[in-house]
Structures are given as C-alpha cells and as structure tokens.
Amino acid sequence: MNPPRSSRVRASITLIAIFALVAVFMVRLVDIQVVRAEELNEQSEGKRSVGVTTYASRGDILDSNGVALADSVMRYDVTASPQNMGDVIRKLEDNTRVTVPLLDVVKEIAETLGTDVAALQATVQNQLATDPDANFMYIQKGITAEQMAAVRALKVPWLYYENRPSRTYPNGQVAGNVVGWIGTDGPQAGLEFSENDCLEATNGSQTYERGMDGVQIPGSTVTSKQAIDGGTLQLTIDLDLQWFTQQRISEQAQAIGADWATAVVVRVSDGHVMALADYPAVDPNNVDASNVIDLGSRAFSTPYEPGSTFKAMSAAMLIDAGLADVDTKVSVPGALELSSGDVISDAFAHPMMQWTTAGIIQQSSNIGISMLSERMSDSARYDYLKKFGLGSRTEVGFNGESGGILAHGDDWGVTQSANISFGQGVSATSAQIASIFQTLGNNGERMPLTLVASCTAPDGTVTEPAGEPTHVVSEYAADSAVNMMETVVTGGSLRNQLQIPGYRVAAKSGTAEVAEGGVYTNDRVVSLAGLAPAEDPQFAVVVTYGKPDTIKTSAAAAPTFRKIMTQVLTMYRVPPSTEPAPNLPTTW
C-alpha cells in the first residue's frame, strides 16, 4: 500500500531542512577557514600564544685564582594572567571550601613579597579595568628563590614564574671600585662597563601556548632565539691581597683624616696589577650608600701632582742620556733663584751642601734635581716622560681613566721645567706612578699595565690582552735609580718606617702641594712608592693619601707602604735578600 501523501511531504521537508543546514555550515566553514582565516588565526594566536624571554647569564668576573668577584644568581619574576584572575577557592583542613576574594588574594601576595599592598591592588585593578583579556602582567620582578617558594605556597592558579639571572658581588667592597656594577640600565661603572663586550649575555626568546585555564600546554614551546651566556673575565688581582691592601689604606686614611687614598701593587716582570685599592670603597651590592664622587677608581681617574716620587725617574733619564751618574757631584745651595725670578727651595733649610746624585735622591732635594735637570733639554725630557707613560692613559683603558696632564716640552718655561723635575707642574694617576716604578724595577722596560688577564668566551675561546714592552731607559740607568732609592731606606729620614727585616727595599717619598684655582694651598698629596727586593725587584707598591688633616708629609704613607710590601713578599714567598746594599756615596 502506498504511504499517505502527508508522509511524503514531511520527508521532503526534512530533507530540504537538512540540506539547508549543511549549506549554512559549509558557508560558515568557508568564511572561517578561507575568507577570515588570517584574521581569526591572529586573534586566536594572541589569546593562546605567550612569548617569553629566555634569560642568559652574564659572565663571571674572577680574581687571579678563580674566585668570583661578580657572578650571576637566579632570580624570578612573578607574572599573572589578567584574563584568568579572579577569586581563589581554597580547601580547608576539614575538607570544606572557602572563596577568597581577588583583592584579598592580591593582599596575601603583596604581604608575602614584602611589597606595598595598596600599590599592588591598584595595579591589578587598573590592569583589569583597561585590558581584562590580557594574558600577561608583572606582579614583581627579581624575587629570590625563598620568596618564590612562599608565593607558590599560596596556590594562586593565575600566577606564573619566570627565571631571571641577577648580578651579585660576593665580596662586597673588596675590589668594588674596580669591578663596578650593573644598574637598571645595564653596566654602569668599572670593568662591568669597560669589559662589557666580554661579559654581556644575549637573551633568547620562546613562545608557548596556554589553554583556556591559563595553564601551559605541554610540548607547545618553540624556541625562536637561543640564549647565549656571557664570557668569563679573569683579572690579575689577587682577592686576598686586595682585601689586605684595602684594609690598610682605609685604617690609615681614617687615622690621618685623608679625603681619599689609593694603593697599587704591580708585578714588575709583566706589569700585572695584583691589587688596586681605593678609599672610600664602593659596595656594588649597595651603590646608593656611597657618595657619587667615590663611585669610580681614583687610582685611574684622579691625577695629582706626584711630588718627589718623580725624582728617581728624573735621575734615571739623566743617567740614560749620559748627563749624570750616581756619584755626580753637585753643590746644592739653600735656595735656587731661577731666571724667571721664581725661587726653588727644599723641604728643610740647609746651607750649601755637597751632594752626589745619590745624595740628592736620599735627601729629596728639589734644588739638586732641578740643577741636574738643567743639563737636558726640555724636549728631550718630554720625550722620556712620554715613554714612561705620562700624559697618556694606561693600557688598561679603565672606565673614566685619566691620562694626567703633561704640557709639551716646548711650552714649559723656566719655572715649569724646574718644577717637573720634582713632580710639580705635571699630574699623574696612581696607576701611572706604579707603571713608572715597574719600569725602573724591570731594567728600564715598561710593560703594559695589565688588569684583565683573559676573557673566555662561551665556546671556550680565550682572548688575552696584547701589548709590547717599551724600552724607556737602559738597564744601567734603571738599576742606578733603584740603587739610589735604596739609600732612602738605608739612610733617609724615613728609614725606620721603611725597612723590612731580611729584605733590601728601594723607595721614594713624595709630598706635593695641591693647587686650587691656579694657586697652591696648604693641602697636600702624600705618597710612598718603592720596589723590593732591591737587588732583583719583584713587586712595585705605590701608596697615596689625598688631603690628610694631620700628617701632611710622606711619613703618613710610609707605614702603609711597609705593611703592604711586607704582605706581598710573604704571600708570594719571595726569598730574602742575600747581598748587601751597595754603599753609594751621598756626599763629597
């Protein structure tokens, strides 16, 4: 029997409806997958894909023995997903559940992190008001592992954690002025700044996807840029000696009321800086605690008129040029009137004295060294001074380093020519003075002053500083200068403060007037520089105090010099001297 007509009609209508519905789906599918595919993909990607920075570690700064002076530790950024923010449901011990309102959760987070509650609540509220669908916002940057564990214990599902290497300085003020520090804008001072090409890390980037609940989808991470750690910078500085040196200059600077102080220890054979101390010292972990004028290294940045420490160099130049010798006889008056009308005097009153060149060095006579220096032309003396490194920055190239002031020999004039022979009318840094004494101790060969021993790249490539020695004066001239400085220790006014039992020491004191506004004042810069053992110099030590309130002569620097030199000889097990000091004639 044929089905009724009404049944056929219903079947037809159903088929038509099905075809119509399929047609609608197909049109919609074409619209989504073809017409609007790119637009929708971008929107979807923006909501589920999260781009993050993968942080590389900045390179370590090590002392000569591999001890860290600066390194990177892991810190963590706390972030949140605003679109998933909301009240938190917590399960209590009795298995009941309690709902904690959003702002109360934010308060718990702030209190756990030790940050301002109201400020963090305001930040969250502002974010939710302006862009509630955002996937990312910072809660706090750079927290410790302990802080992160405490926040995790709150079990807030919309909080996330990212690694962020942070800089730390394990030894605080020890070598702080040299090492420098990292600020919010990157390297700010010291070797952190000047050696950034070695130390700098290159951060990478990754993208991962989150589900609707904000949780990262496993296996969805794609690395678009690989992170590369920075290189390792090894210094010539010995941490233990650096600590000792800083302690000694600090205690004496405070005792005599000095505004500042420096001390430099250099290995004579290769120019390696074994210690370089500044007072006041800077703690890179707490830079804000220091005065802004103390943030650099005065040993490199602060030139001063060095005074009589120059005299040994002046004598070496004359001997090298064949214009004098250790026993050259000079009749030294109590005052010397120059053709300019200016008068040169010594630090103590005396009648006409019959001194040799050695005697002039021992007695630190401004008049005597001026008279001897008249034998050499200003242009020739200028050329010697340039070879000694005056007027130019050292090879270290330290951040903020000064080359000092050295006018050209053609421009000196009579008075300045005389003054330069005994260290006035010219300025140099403590690092430059240390280089001068390294040269005299190294048979007249100036080695490039070296603070950085090497940089080791992440791939193992090692780069060492290149530099050639400079022949400045003859071995005979340099050795003669050292022998004459030894008479300062054996027979000078500071002999009781300079002698080190078992060792021959060569030293030269310096007391220089400080000029302000073109006029010399009552302030002084006092120094003591020397070498040991004198018969075969291994180390040079330079100690300087700026503007002391009490002892305004080089006697203020002598005790510190002896302590540091004694420590150096002991630390590096330098054998005691076995030969007696030469008996140079100082009078005639």
Side-chain angles (χ1 to χ4, degrees), residues 429-452:
T429 63
S430 295
Q432 288 173 309
I433 300 299
S435 182
I436 290 171
F437 278 78
Q438 177 276 324
T439 303
L440 295 177
N442 196 43
N443 301 319
E445 293 283 333
R446 184 171 72 84
M447 302 301 294
L449 208 62
T450 304
L451 184 59
V452 173

Side-chain angles (χ1 to χ4, degrees), residues 408-493:
H408 195 279
D410 295 340
D411 303 324
W412 285 359
V414 174
T415 300
Q416 188 172 16
S417 177
N419 288 344
I420 287 176
S421 69
F422 52 85
Q424 298 274 181
V426 60
S427 70
T429 63
S430 295
Q432 288 173 309
I433 300 299
S435 182
I436 290 171
F437 278 78
Q438 177 276 324
T439 303
L440 295 177
N442 196 43
N443 301 319
E445 293 283 333
R446 184 171 72 84
M447 302 301 294
L449 208 62
T450 304
L451 184 59
V452 173
S454 65
C455 171
T456 303
D459 64 1
T461 303
V462 178
T463 303
E464 297 179 350
E468 296 295 326
T470 301
H471 177 76
V472 181
V473 295
S474 68
E475 181 177 345
Y476 176 76
D479 291 350
S480 295
V482 173
N483 290 337
M484 289 189 289
M485 285 192 289
E486 196 170 357
T487 69
V488 174
V489 179
T490 58
S493 61

Side-chain angles (χ1 to χ4, degrees), residues 120-166:
L120 185 57
Q121 288 177 331
T123 299
V124 170
Q125 288 177 311
N126 182 63
Q127 175 67 51
L128 294 176
T130 56
D131 189 5
D133 294 327
N135 264 329
F136 182 88
M137 69 172 287
Y138 281 110
I139 297 297
Q140 186 156 321
K141 298 180 180 180
I143 67 171
T144 65
E146 292 77 10
Q147 288 177 306
M148 183 181 70
V151 176
R152 280 187 182 276
L154 297 177
K155 297 182 179 179
V156 179
W158 37 262
L159 285 183
Y160 309 96
Y161 309 90
E162 296 178 357
N163 296 349
R164 177 189 290 271
S166 181

Side-chain angles (χ1 to χ4, degrees), residues 173-242:
Q173 291 186 348
V174 183
N177 300 68
V178 173
V179 171
W181 64 89
I182 300 292
T184 55
D185 296 326
Q188 299 297 301
L191 295 174
E192 290 277 28
F193 182 88
S194 60
E195 301 298 324
N196 189 54
D197 287 347
C198 171
L199 298 166
E200 187 175 25
T202 302
N203 293 330
S205 57
Q206 292 180 337
T207 302
Y208 66 85
E209 296 182 8
R210 286 178 178 169
M212 290 298 295
D213 58 357
V215 177
Q216 180 177 344
I217 299 174
S220 65
T221 301
V222 176
T223 300
S224 53
K225 181 180 179 182
Q226 196 70 37
I228 303 174
D229 292 337
T232 299
L233 191 73
Q234 185 156 35
L235 308 186
T236 58
I237 283 177
D238 184 303
L239 177 64
D240 291 338
L241 181 61
Q242 178 74 23

Side-chain angles (χ1 to χ4, degrees), residues 76-91:
Y76 305 89
D77 294 342
V78 183
T79 68
S81 172
Q83 67 176 243
N84 294 304
M85 276 183 172
D87 301 342
V88 173
I89 299 175
R90 292 212 177 102
K91 185 177 181 180

